[in-house]
Amino acid sequence: MRILLLSADYPPLVGGVADYTDRLAHALAGLGHEVSVLTSARATQAAAAPAGSASVQVIATVPSWGPAALLAIAQQVQAQAPQVVALQYVPTMYGRGGIAPGIALLPALLRRHTPARVVVTLHEVAVSWRLGPRRAAQATAQYAQMLALVLGSHRVLVTNHRYARIVQRWTRARVTPQVLPVGANILPAGGDDPARSAVRQQLGIGEGPLLGSMSALGVGDQPAHLLTVLQRLPKARLVLLGGLPE
């Protein structure tokens, strides 16, 4: 099967979705599919593929994901003639402050101009509602984008059940997303690792169990969930891997 992944972020750009897309592409290629990735022109030097992995074509040619670039993106998709187009979505990847009307309209445009099945994965949905005109406008725009994305796609994937409920509520149950949890992108390290022991010593946490959060505390995060897990693991220590919001 010919599969084209769309993602604004891809290595060497740093980000959770960039890394996820890279690993997904090579995993699908390893299953025998013909996989390509269409990404931002900023990702000009694709990261080296893992040893022994199947090859993936990286097309880092998209200068912008705004409305003015939609036709050019659709033409690039047509040129690849994929059977499946898989769009990876986080609002802030495609527009400042997560305002990205162009990407919201892309699935419907691709369905009209290509025979490919369009699948969107919502890694995030929208910022939470809060008082204040700026935050309310941001949330309204991002929820509207989400609605356009899911209604324009053939299939919708979400990373947790909360997002699934949001999609069903906003579409009045016309769309039933499939929940596909995202696991850790870091493979376990076995054996005695001196560097790991040094970091533990530097943090003053000894050799006890660690609970790590692989993102900064920012918009949309739920630190209360981490605290709930810690209550069930009284001997564990929490380590936040990432910066704090500006």
Side-chain angles (χ1 to χ4, degrees):
M1 182 180 294
R2 295 187 305 277
I3 302 174
L4 177 64
L5 304 182
L6 300 183
S7 177
D9 288 356
Y10 193 79
L13 301 179
V14 177
V17 177
D19 190 52
Y20 172 87
T21 305
D22 180 46
R23 291 174 180 269
L24 175 62
H26 287 97
L28 291 172
L31 294 174
H33 300 292
E34 183 180 333
V35 183
S36 302
V37 179
L38 180 60
T39 186
S40 304
R42 296 177 295 133
T44 51
Q45 296 179 348
S53 65
S55 62
V56 171
Q57 181 186 19
V58 179
I59 310 163
T61 56
V62 181
S64 167
W65 297 87
L70 284 183
L71 185 57
I73 295 172
Q75 290 172 343
Q76 291 188 69
V77 172
Q78 282 181 315
Q80 296 301 311
Q83 296 169 284
V84 174
V85 175
L87 171 63
Q88 310 303 311
Y89 177 74
V90 169
T92 52
M93 283 204 318
Y94 296 98
R96 185 176 181 181
I99 309 301
I103 200 66
L105 300 174
L106 184 58
L109 182 66
L110 293 179
R111 289 184 63 169
R112 184 174 181 179
H113 293 281
T114 73
R117 300 284 293 180
V118 180
V119 181
V120 61
T121 299
L122 303 180
H123 294 267
E124 294 180 11
V125 174
V127 295
S128 57
W129 298 96
R130 292 183 185 174
L131 295 177
R134 180 178 179 181
R135 184 57 176 268
Q138 187 180 25
T140 300
Q142 290 185 15
Y143 275 105
Q145 290 168 190
M146 178 273 293
L147 188 60
L149 278 167
V150 301
L151 292 179
S153 301
H154 291 99
R155 295 289 299 272
V156 178
L157 305 178
V158 295
T159 57
N160 59 67
H161 290 282
R162 175 174 170 265
Y163 291 168
R165 291 192 295 270
I166 291 174
V167 169
Q168 289 184 300
R169 183 168 67 248
W170 275 76
T171 62
R172 298 183 179 180
R174 284 183 292 172
V175 175
T176 302
Q178 182 176 346
V179 178
L180 185 66
V182 176
N185 289 349
I186 300 176
L187 297 177
D192 184 17
D193 187 344
R196 182 172 54 186
S197 298
V199 171
R200 282 177 169 271
Q201 184 176 3
Q202 182 181 2
L203 295 175
I205 51 181
E207 293 299 324
L210 288 180
L211 176 64
S213 175
M214 294 297 297
S215 64
L217 287 177
V219 174
D221 284 351
Q222 303 288 334
H225 295 173
L226 293 174
L227 297 179
T228 300
V229 173
L230 279 177
Q231 291 175 352
R232 299 180 181 180
L233 301 170
K235 295 183 179 180
R237 301 288 295 272
L238 174 63
V239 178
L240 298 179
L241 306 176
L244 294 174
E246 298 179 356

